[in-house]
């Protein structure tokens, strides 16, 4: 009986022995870390590591134990993730090497990334810059949500200028990298296109390529393959086609 009990005990001991070294005070629960960061509207620092990674061990033993790093990290939510235990999270964040550190803003949007061993001074500078960048992204996301709420109010309004005003706000959000915001912008551009496609034509002159692409997609969805304004073309070519479409849409009942 004792010999049979020893085998699973040995297996557990070996499994524990090959886990990545996690610095003291770091969570290993990704979901809880992200949830806490979202609740506090604060950045989250995610450290991707592995048991077989030599530079990771140096980071955990040296850089991450330095007092100024510990103090900086303590002000935000932070977790260390073993990529062998959580390959899904590694794939989700496109982790191709360890150690990799991600500074995430709300909605798990990546603000900064660092890969490889970093000495204390270098990492501390990256850390402080990353926290600032993540907070800036969070503020931008909050402004985007506010603008989307205002767009929804305009779309529900019967005012004569409501559609142009809503379109103008959406043009300003067209280059948002946040996938959720981008999808929200696309859905509202389609609503405007269905009501009055001519209102969106001005967006094809926007200096931001991402905005022009969003607008062109909404108009093509409404008009069909006949819509021939290429958002990648130069301004003069676009302007000629936009004028033609203004005339064509003005004749449409």
């Amino acid at each position: 009986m004792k010999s049979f009990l020893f085998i699973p005990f040995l297996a557990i001991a070996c499994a524990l022995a090959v886990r990545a070294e996690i610095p003291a005070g770091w969570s290993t629960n990704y979901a809880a870390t992200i949830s806490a960061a979202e609740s506090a509207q604060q950045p989250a620092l995610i450290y991707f590591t592995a048991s077989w990674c030599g530079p990771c061990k140096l980071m955990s033993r040296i850089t991450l134990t330095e007092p100024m790093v510990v103090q900086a990290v303590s002000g935000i939510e932070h977790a260390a993730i073993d990529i062998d235990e959580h390959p899904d999270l590694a794939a989700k964040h496109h982790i191709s090497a360890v150690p990799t550190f991600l500074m995430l803003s709300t909605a798990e949007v990546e603000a900064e990334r660092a890969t490889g061993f970093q000495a204390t001074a270098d990492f501390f500078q990256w850390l402080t810059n990353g926290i600032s960048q993540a907070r800036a992204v969070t503020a931008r996301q909050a402004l985007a949500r506010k603008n989307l709420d205002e767009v929804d109010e305009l779309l529900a309004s019967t005012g004569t200028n409501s559609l142009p005003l809503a379109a103008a706000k959406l043009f300003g959000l067209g280059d948002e990298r946040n996938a959720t915001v981008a999808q929200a912008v696309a859905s509202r551009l389609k609503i405007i296109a269905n009501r009055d496609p001519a209102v969106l034509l001005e967006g094809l002159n926007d200096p931001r390529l991402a905005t022009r692409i969003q607008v062109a997609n909404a108009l093509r969805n409404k008009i069909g393959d006949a819509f021939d304004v290429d958002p990648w073309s130069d301004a003069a070519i676009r302007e000629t086609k936009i004028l033609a479409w203004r005339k064509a849409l003005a004749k449409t009942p």
Side-chain angles (χ1 to χ4, degrees), residues 41-43 75-76 103 105 111 130-140:
Q41 288 291 288
Q42 288 292 330
I76 59 175
M103 189 67 71
S105 70
I131 291 172
S132 296
Q133 287 295 324
R135 286 176 174 157
V137 171
T138 296
R140 182 174 174 175

Side-chain angles (χ1 to χ4, degrees), residues 22-112:
I22 306 300
W26 286 66
S27 170
T28 57
N29 189 322
Y30 177 89
T33 298
I34 295 299
S35 177
E38 292 281 350
S39 296
Q41 288 291 288
Q42 288 292 330
L45 174 63
I46 308 299
Y47 166 32
F48 287 93
T49 181
S51 61
W52 41 264
C53 171
C56 299
K57 292 182 173 67
L58 292 177
M59 286 295 299
S60 294
R61 297 172 186 175
I62 300 174
T63 304
L64 298 180
T65 61
E66 285 291 332
M68 66 180 184
V69 172
V70 172
Q71 182 176 4
V73 168
S74 67
I76 59 175
E77 298 298 326
H78 51 286
I81 305 300
D82 187 325
I83 63 170
D84 292 324
E85 293 184 356
H86 300 282
D88 56 327
L89 293 175
K92 176 181 180 179
H93 289 288
H94 309 290
I95 305 301
S96 59
V98 286
T100 289
F101 293 85
L102 299 185
M103 189 67 71
L104 304 179
S105 70
T106 54
E108 299 177 76
V109 174
E110 182 179 327
E112 292 289 340

